[in-house]
Amino acid sequence: QCRGGHLILRRFVVATSGGPLNVRDAPRPSGALLGQVANGTTVSNAGGCTISDGQQWCNVRDPQSGLTGWVAARFLAQLVA
């Protein structure tokens, strides 16, 4: 999904086990919670990825709500058109 610190794709779908995905103000589990995005929501690339605390984090934006922040990359899947 992410390589070299940059998102390869422009859009992803949130792919959790059913619950919402936490969106944080910083790329780490301790980052302040800004909100949540529902499973199945399409999100867009908002600025790339980074590795923090041993996890890959991507900066994404929910076009419907406007919520922008960092999410754990393992909960993002390639959007199939």
Side-chain angles (χ1 to χ4, degrees), residues 49-65:
C49 296
T50 190
I51 301 290
S52 179
D53 293 339
Q55 294 185 59
Q56 191 167 45
W57 294 80
C58 294
N59 191 243
V60 299
R61 179 177 187 274
D62 176 0
Q64 292 180 349
S65 69

Side-chain angles (χ1 to χ4, degrees), residues 5 8 14-15 48 63 78:
I8 302 167
V14 174
Q78 180 177 346

Side-chain angles (χ1 to χ4, degrees), residues 24-50:
R24 301 191 178 276
D25 75 339
R28 57 186 167 271
S30 62
L33 183 64
L34 299 175
Q36 295 181 318
V37 179
N39 184 47
T41 300
T42 298
V43 294
S44 59
N45 176 351
C49 296
T50 190

